[in-house]
Amino acid sequence: MQDIINRLSRIVGHTNCLSGDDLREKYDHDITGSYKGRSLAVVRPASTEDVSKILALAFETSTAVVPLGGNTGLAGGGFAGADGDKIILSLERMNKITSINRQSRLARVEAGVVLANLHAAAEAVDLVFPLVFGARGSCMIGGNLSTNAGGSNVVRYGNTRALCLGLEVVLADGEIVNLMSELHKDNTGYDLKDLFIGAEGTLGVITGAVLKLFDKPKAYATAMVAVADIASALEVLHRLQAVSGGAVEAFEYMPRNYFRHLQMVDASAPMPFDKLADTAVLVEIATTNAQHATAGPDGKVPLVALLENTLVALLESGQVLDATIAQSESQRTEMWRQREMAFEVATHLGVSLTTDVSVPLDKVDAFLNEMTARIGSVAPKAEVVVISHLGDGNLHYSLWVDPENPGQVDEAQKTAIYNLVEDVVEKLSGSFSAEHGIGLAKIGSMARRKDKAALAVMRRIKRALDPKNIMNPGKMLP
Ligand SMILES: Cc1cc2nc3c(=O)[nH]c(=O)nc-3n(C[C@H](O)[C@H](O)[C@H](O)COP(=O)(O)OP(=O)(O)OC[C@H]3O[C@@H](n4cnc5c(N)ncnc54)[C@H](O)[C@@H]3O)c2cc1C
């Protein structure tokens, strides 16, 4: 083992091969606190060539490699186990934005670029990279691609896969595959890029990407909307899509008790309505059209007026109960801050169980109703809080098993709860993993619920690309 560490040090330099306990510590545990282990060493390459040499060495010595980005993943995919036999390959030094091309609306980046840094670089030239979620200050493009991350803007721009035109990948034996296409149309054989996106580091290491950029909206109109029920919420979504020409950027669901817990975490958080409704959504529409973004003689910005008029019409028909429209950028920021505190809200009472499932839009109501009817059978004292990217049918159904007595949850009860959620999801033709991936956390569900033929194909692909099973072994594929 010491020989491998010495050889890694020769590739990346002594200071970038971390083998002491104190140096590895922050890489050896995940953000949720569920996984804490011990790697052999953390190696921090500076270039694709370094990555290639590291993987060639790992291949030769049959040493397992766990690629790591910002370590914000919620499924344990970046966990190196406790045996001290795996190398963590951190992409953090490969953090260059190589180019931003306004004409082609593309960015070329290394895999270790922090998402928020790409946001800032794009905005500096009046463009946006529209992948947005709470962990953006730490997560990295390679991790976003490897988990095919979703977030709040999927309803308009799709998930990370839809935002990527090209990739550079290093295979398990160190071979570099150049798929850095800038083309919107490129039908030259199998789409290998899509194979590595969402592979959670099990097929190779993503080292670079070509990503799509979009015009920066000139105005946003943002509101917290209290609605009668989920059917009404979806009516708000569809009506807004229709009147705005598909300009809904985000449509996020939060129930009444979310705000109650939010106030426990942050007592100063202003509540959006005098009287909280059972169902509230944070909705945002945007325009890149200067005319729609500029206040008219009445002082109203047309985009904001469009949102307001649509909500008023829905208020009159009873589907909307109340609404607060952001009147300034600071009010908009506060609405988003409240939504993005979901992680703190879900974890503030100690142990909570969180899920990441998706169902077709017309089945969201059925999912929530059936869970309400059945959750008592496996968790009689539970308090449920559902936070959802409702615009794309992705629900984080979370619960405190016993809010009066937070603490360790019995493993058998945990399993029963997850099984119930996944049974209901399966019945409604949904997915047990919407945006966080499989990692270690859902490996059992993958074995039980994924189509058997699809699993067999995945295993054949894995064997072909990683014959020694050194790429993030034990993750994703049961
Ligand atoms: C507060 C908070 C909010 C979040 N909100 C969302 C959300 O709304 N939507 C969402 O989708 N996710 C969300 N997440 C989850 C997480 O941020 C995303 O999954 C993110 O894309 C992970 O990026 P990362 O760089 O941290 O990856 P890591 O955690 O470092 O790694 C994740 C997986 O990708 C692999 N990997 C990392 N880099 C590479 C690479 N270069 N090549 C090959 N494999 C690699 C790892 O081995 C691991 O399996 C949230 C997390 C937090 C903490």
Side-chain angles (χ1 to χ4, degrees), residues 156-157 215-221 244 247-249 284-294 301-304 306:
R156 180 150 195 194
Y157 300 97
D215 283 335
K216 184 173 175 228
K218 291 193 165 42
Y220 292 96
S244 69
V248 175
E249 297 249 321
E284 182 156 279
I285 58 177
T287 181
T288 52
N289 182 327
Q291 274 181 348
H292 299 165
T294 310
V301 174
L303 184 79
V304 180
L306 180 73

Side-chain angles (χ1 to χ4, degrees), residues 31 66-74 77-78 91 111 132-135 138-140 142-144 146-152 200-201 204-207 343 389 435-436 472:
I31 196 165
V66 180
L68 196 65
N71 202 8
T72 68
L74 298 175
L91 278 299
V132 177
F133 52 86
S138 312
C139 66
M140 296 174 188
N144 303 151
S146 298
T147 56
N148 188 24
S152 304
E200 301 184 35
V205 177
I206 295 174
T207 47
F343 187 68
H389 305 296
E435 61 174 7
H436 295 162
N472 214 0

Side-chain angles (χ1 to χ4, degrees), residues 98-411:
T98 318
S99 65
I100 291 201
N101 187 329
R102 270 188 59 80
Q103 211 165 27
S104 59
R105 296 290 196 265
L106 293 177
R108 291 175 83 93
V109 299
E110 291 184 333
V113 167
V114 170
L115 178 57
N117 292 346
L118 180 57
H119 288 164
E123 285 205 20
V125 291
D126 251 0
L127 298 174
V128 290
F129 179 61
L131 176 68
V132 177
F133 52 86
R136 59 186 169 274
S138 312
C139 66
M140 296 174 188
I141 297 300
N144 303 151
L145 286 160
S146 298
T147 56
N148 188 24
S152 304
N153 289 10
V154 170
V155 63
R156 180 150 195 194
Y157 300 97
N159 48 24
T160 312
R161 173 171 276 124
L163 300 172
C164 178
L165 287 186
L167 271 193
E168 181 184 71
V169 181
V170 183
L171 300 180
D173 61 2
E175 187 165 0
I176 300 168
V177 188
N178 183 348
L179 305 166
M180 290 288 274
S181 169
E182 296 192 354
L183 303 172
H184 293 269
K185 288 186 170 176
D186 183 6
N187 281 348
T188 49
Y190 300 136
D191 193 340
L192 297 179
K193 158 178 71 74
D194 271 350
L195 199 54
F196 294 101
I197 297 174
E200 301 184 35
T202 60
L203 299 179
V205 177
I206 295 174
T207 47
V210 178
L211 301 171
K212 292 187 200 169
L213 302 174
F214 297 81
D215 283 335
K216 184 173 175 228
K218 291 193 165 42
Y220 292 96
T222 310
M224 285 280 194
V225 184
V227 284
D229 46 31
I230 294 287
S232 305
L234 292 178
E235 183 55 31
V236 174
L237 171 65
H238 300 317
R239 195 77 69 87
L240 279 170
Q241 291 286 37
V243 297
S244 69
V248 175
E249 297 249 321
F251 199 77
E252 305 281 299
Y253 164 89
M254 288 158 285
R256 181 204 298 261
N257 68 338
Y258 178 80
F259 291 98
R260 200 163 49 76
H261 283 282
L262 179 71
Q263 283 216 307
M264 289 186 215
V265 179
D266 173 8
S268 67
M271 291 295 96
F273 316 112
D274 295 337
K275 187 172 169 294
L276 286 176
D278 285 344
T279 305
V281 286
L282 168 57
V283 57
E284 182 156 279
I285 58 177
T287 181
T288 52
N289 182 327
Q291 274 181 348
H292 299 165
T294 310
D298 59 357
K300 287 200 169 170
V301 174
L303 184 79
V304 180
L306 180 73
L307 176 62
E308 194 175 320
N309 294 339
T310 309
L311 292 177
V312 167
L314 288 160
L315 200 74
E316 281 161 6
S317 66
Q319 282 150 315
V320 163
L321 305 176
D322 200 352
T324 304
I325 297 178
Q327 300 297 327
S328 63
E329 185 55 27
S330 67
Q331 282 183 9
R332 172 180 175 242
T333 305
E334 174 58 24
M335 286 179 182
W336 275 109
R337 188 185 75 87
Q338 296 194 4
R339 166 62 184 87
E340 291 186 345
M341 281 184 70
F343 187 68
E344 287 86 341
V345 168
T347 50
H348 82 106
L349 274 186
V351 179
S352 72
L353 300 190
T354 304
T355 66
D356 166 42
V357 300
S358 60
V359 292
L361 279 191
D362 64 339
K363 304 280 192 324
V364 172
D365 218 5
F367 171 80
L368 293 175
N369 290 338
E370 184 155 353
M371 285 310 304
T372 303
R374 293 177 63 186
I375 191 67
S377 65
V378 287
K381 296 179 179 167
E383 180 181 350
V384 173
V385 61
V386 185
I387 303 138
S388 162
H389 305 296
L390 182 57
D392 56 52
N394 176 191
L395 298 125
H396 298 303
Y397 181 92
S398 306
L399 52 89
W400 295 281
V401 177
D402 181 357
E404 299 292 311
N405 297 299
Q408 218 49 45
V409 181
D410 176 62
E411 279 307 313

